[in-house]
Amino acid sequence: MSAFLTYLLNGLAVGCAIALIAGGLVVIHRVTGVVNFAQGTFAVVAGLCTSSLLGLGLPHGVSEIAAVLAAALAGLLTGLAAIGRRDTTPLSSLIVTLGVGVLAYAVEIVLWGDQPRSAPGLAGSVTIAGARIQTQHLLVISVTAAAFVLLALFFGRTYLGKALTACASNPFAARVVGIDTRLMGLLAFALGGLLGGIAGVLVTPLRPISFDTDVTLIVNGFAAAVFGALTRPVVTLVGALLLGVAETMAAGYGYGSHQLEVALGLMIVVMIVQASRRSAISQEST
């Protein structure tokens, strides 16, 4: 029983990291209609920056904040490339984000090499109901919970958040009332980079980060985002937690080499369910 609880708690922490990646995907898609396949790159940039800055002697806190800001800047630059030109279609922007991800590989190899890097995190562990969980995992869960609460407050209580929501709900009406939808889209990309950066600095102490780590991150994040139909952050969070628990249970009970397959399988199942639900709804409406 204690092993099960340990896997469950660790799975929730893994799911929280996935949720931050997926949350960035949802924020960008809600505002721009673009699926940003460079989302995992932001986490990799933040993780590698954290490792380098700590290696240069900068203290914790400063290194992580600087790394997250670097990821937000990467998100903004990706937004400029993807939606910088007006009337760019979402499909064209999606292809651009794929190109940005490939370009990021080359940049990261030049700057940091092709060997995995890590960074120290919170040491120690705690025992909860007989289950042992690393302190870093508790930090991941706490920061993710705070991030989603702040996101809800930002979109629901602030003028800027409501402007972003307006762009997602009705871009034409938003432009009529004077909202610059292109600027809102760039802000969404920067916010997606920020969320990806937070995931990167939290995950780096738990697993080594290399230039191609974004593949696993984007697969998991996209699966969770699809669970939330790429529009609902809370449902996306639930999907990410389920995915994290499923992967950790698979690893804990002897199927660790099939974690990615678990993510892909769940993503396919969710996409089939989502498609069938949409088909049923469209048939009812007609």
Side-chain angles (χ1 to χ4, degrees), residues 226-227 265-281:
V226 168
F227 188 86
L266 288 175
M267 183 175 68
I268 292 172
V269 171
V270 168
M271 291 177 71
I272 292 173
V273 172
Q274 293 280 13
S276 62
R277 287 178 58 189
R278 291 176 182 173
S279 177
I281 292 172

Side-chain angles (χ1 to χ4, degrees), residues 168-264:
S169 302
N170 193 327
F172 177 75
R175 286 194 293 268
V176 168
V177 299
I179 297 175
D180 188 338
T181 55
R182 176 174 169 272
L183 177 60
M184 293 299 105
L186 294 176
L187 288 174
F189 267 92
L191 183 55
L194 189 75
L195 291 171
I198 294 173
V201 300
L202 291 173
V203 168
T204 302
L206 298 171
R207 54 171 295 180
I209 294 289
S210 63
F211 70 95
D212 58 351
T213 303
D214 68 308
V215 175
T216 303
L217 295 175
I218 192 60
V219 168
N220 285 313
F222 185 65
V226 168
F227 188 86
L230 286 166
T231 56
R232 293 175 290 179
V234 175
V235 180
T236 296
L237 174 61
V238 173
L241 294 177
L242 291 174
L243 183 59
V245 170
E247 289 189 4
T248 304
M249 290 293 181
Y253 288 106
Y255 299 96
S257 59
H258 301 291
Q259 284 180 293
L260 186 58
E261 288 82 352
V262 169
L264 289 171

Side-chain angles (χ1 to χ4, degrees), residues 63-221:
S63 297
E64 283 81 0
I65 291 173
V68 170
L69 292 177
L73 177 60
L76 179 60
L77 294 176
T78 301
L80 285 171
I83 62 170
R85 295 181 60 184
R86 295 189 183 277
D87 300 323
T88 303
T89 65
L91 178 59
S92 298
S93 297
L94 182 152
I95 295 172
V96 170
T97 65
L98 287 171
V100 169
V102 174
L103 176 63
Y105 277 15
V107 175
E108 289 159 2
I109 290 174
V110 170
L111 294 178
W112 290 285
D114 59 354
Q115 296 303 309
R117 289 173 172 247
S118 188
L122 294 180
S125 60
V126 297
T127 302
I128 302 176
R132 184 173 294 276
I133 180 172
Q134 295 181 44
T135 309
Q136 183 70 23
H137 278 157
L138 290 178
L139 178 64
V140 173
I141 294 173
S142 302
V143 171
T144 302
F148 272 82
V149 169
L150 290 175
L151 272 179
L153 293 175
F154 172 72
F155 281 106
R157 300 292 181 87
T158 68
Y159 174 79
L160 182 58
K162 292 178 180 179
L164 287 167
T165 302
C167 292
S169 302
N170 193 327
F172 177 75
R175 286 194 293 268
V176 168
V177 299
I179 297 175
D180 188 338
T181 55
R182 176 174 169 272
L183 177 60
M184 293 299 105
L186 294 176
L187 288 174
F189 267 92
L191 183 55
L194 189 75
L195 291 171
I198 294 173
V201 300
L202 291 173
V203 168
T204 302
L206 298 171
R207 54 171 295 180
I209 294 289
S210 63
F211 70 95
D212 58 351
T213 303
D214 68 308
V215 175
T216 303
L217 295 175
I218 192 60
V219 168
N220 285 313

